[in-house]
Amino acid sequence: MAGVIPIAYRNSSTSPDWLNKGDNAWQMTSATLVGLQSMPGLVILYGSIVKKKWAINSAFMALYAFAAVWICWVIWAYNMSFGDRLLPFWGKAKPALGQSFLVAQSELTATAVRYHNGSLEAEMLHPFYPAATMVYFQCMFATITIIILAGSLLGRMNIKAWMAFVPLWITFSYTICAFSLWGGGFLFQWGVIDYSGGYVIHLSSGIAGLTAAYWVGPRSASDRERFPPNNILLVLAGAGLLWLGWTGFNGGDPYSANIDSSMAVLNTHICASTSLLVWTLLDVFFFGKPSVIGAVQGMITGLVCITPGAGLVQGWAAIVMGILSGSIPWYTMMVLHKKWSFMQRIDDTLGVFHTHAVAGFLGGATTGLFAEPVLCNLFLSIPDSRGAFYGGDGSSQFGKQIAGALFVIAWNIVITSIICVLVSLVLPLRISDEQLLIGDDAVHGEEAYAIWAESELTDITHHDESRHGGIAVGVTQNV
């Protein structure tokens, strides 16, 4: 006598009507690709791009954040970002752990759009897979946001203060921006476009990173003067995981394996490639040689810039956005930063403000120009959305994009400052001067490359910086 087949393994005719196994498979794959960007992608990149004595500490900041966000996310933060509305910019905190919730069809409960008279304009979003998949996918975005922020603080933040900062920032900053723009909050209802996180992730982390860097204070004077990567080849390995992982980052945000996800993936790689080439050409033209670290920076700014409009712009627009993202952040980092005394006083270790805040703002603004109507109708809840380039009401879209960015900037400056001040009342934000001189061995009792542990004089990354004309290029510039 044949046994009973468990429901989960039966064919599609006996599965829930709402379940699309293709969408579910793509969404979980996309989530995993985004997760690989953080762990091990940014763990490797951070551990390799800093001075040898900070390799362990920098990698551990990313590793800790990846784990800590997971617990915050499933206990309270997911529903604050994508659950029932509490305030126009915030959802109600509650766990995302119950079986009845996780196996039911995913739904973003606050995303129904209504006309001014209260009639329904667009239904709430109901992706065709269980809530467990959505919780997983969105958690990977939350983790990478705080890890990007960490790039501004490498080489001097007290690891215990970082451990307190992470859950506070995820709770009071990330969930606000996520709900406001994605979860059905006031910016979502107004029609501000953020396809995959140009504002929620990149502008937010770039502004918060710069703000936190101000409160934490700078690295030691010797580290600010000379901060060479300890392993450029591993930097490229981390960057490669970041680049290919962006396939899931942007390709998964239509919440479906559909036409729009294909457009998003293609545009992502077009823009990133263009931006990398432009940044490299600028390095060659102005500094006489191409910089590998500079190329990585150009890659990142291209990926960031296309993110808010990845599935909404045409291929030619992705190239234009790549040209802009390879040149404008290059100018703000390599020229403007060195002339602006205010920026010189803030030690943004990896230049996250330039690569993520500037590029994220640029991407959101250009989405307001180039969002194509047909592609918008494939994805957006508000009908007839379009960029200014396509006439009609498109000019108002550009204004909405700028206003949405200003909200994200203001909120992150204020709330990140409050969090830093509160943490500083309990724990010092900055590592002691004695530990700053020693690095990983003093902070963790561990070293990345024990063979070179005796002295910095034998550091294999040592080089004669005079050969570069006194100019440090790319992410390791003397900022």
Side-chain angles (χ1 to χ4, degrees), residues 296-362:
V296 171
Q297 291 289 68
M299 175 204 85
I300 292 172
T301 56
L303 292 167
V304 170
C305 184
I306 194 62
T307 292
L312 308 177
V313 302
Q314 298 188 64
W316 64 263
I319 292 176
V320 173
M321 293 169 75
I323 293 171
L324 295 173
S325 64
S327 54
I328 294 176
W330 180 93
Y331 174 78
T332 65
M333 174 182 281
M334 307 307 297
V335 180
L336 184 61
H337 187 113
K338 298 174 182 179
K339 295 180 178 179
W340 191 1
S341 60
F342 172 76
M343 292 297 292
Q344 284 288 311
R345 290 197 299 269
I346 302 177
D347 185 13
D348 180 0
T349 308
L350 300 187
V352 174
F353 171 78
H354 305 284
T355 56
H356 293 272
V358 174
F361 180 89
L362 181 64

Side-chain angles (χ1 to χ4, degrees), residues 208-231:
L210 187 73
T211 304
Y214 168 82
W215 289 103
V216 172
R219 289 166 287 172
S220 65
S222 60
D223 281 356
R224 290 199 77 184
E225 181 180 348
R226 180 174 176 273
F227 206 69
N230 69 81
N231 194 321

Side-chain angles (χ1 to χ4, degrees), residues 21 43 111 148 177 217 225 230 241 252 286 326 371 373 400 406 466 476:
K21 293 185 177 181
V43 171
T111 54
I148 291 169
C177 295
E225 181 180 348
N230 69 81
L241 286 167
F286 286 95
K400 291 178 182 179
L406 293 176
S466 65
T476 54

Side-chain angles (χ1 to χ4, degrees), residues 74-106:
V74 297
I75 295 178
W76 67 81
Y78 171 77
N79 278 298
M80 295 175 76
S81 304
F82 296 97
D84 296 321
R85 184 192 307 270
L86 175 65
L87 297 169
F89 52 84
W90 219 5
K92 295 179 181 178
K94 61 181 178 180
L97 291 167
Q99 170 187 317
S100 59
F101 170 73
L102 294 174
V103 302
Q105 183 177 7
S106 176

Side-chain angles (χ1 to χ4, degrees), residues 93-130:
K94 61 181 178 180
L97 291 167
Q99 170 187 317
S100 59
F101 170 73
L102 294 174
V103 302
Q105 183 177 7
S106 176
E107 63 178 19
L108 306 183
T109 55
T111 54
V113 179
R114 297 185 179 278
Y115 293 105
H116 293 300
N117 62 9
S119 61
L120 189 66
E121 182 177 10
E123 297 277 357
M124 73 173 69
L125 299 178
H126 292 89
F128 301 116
Y129 40 76

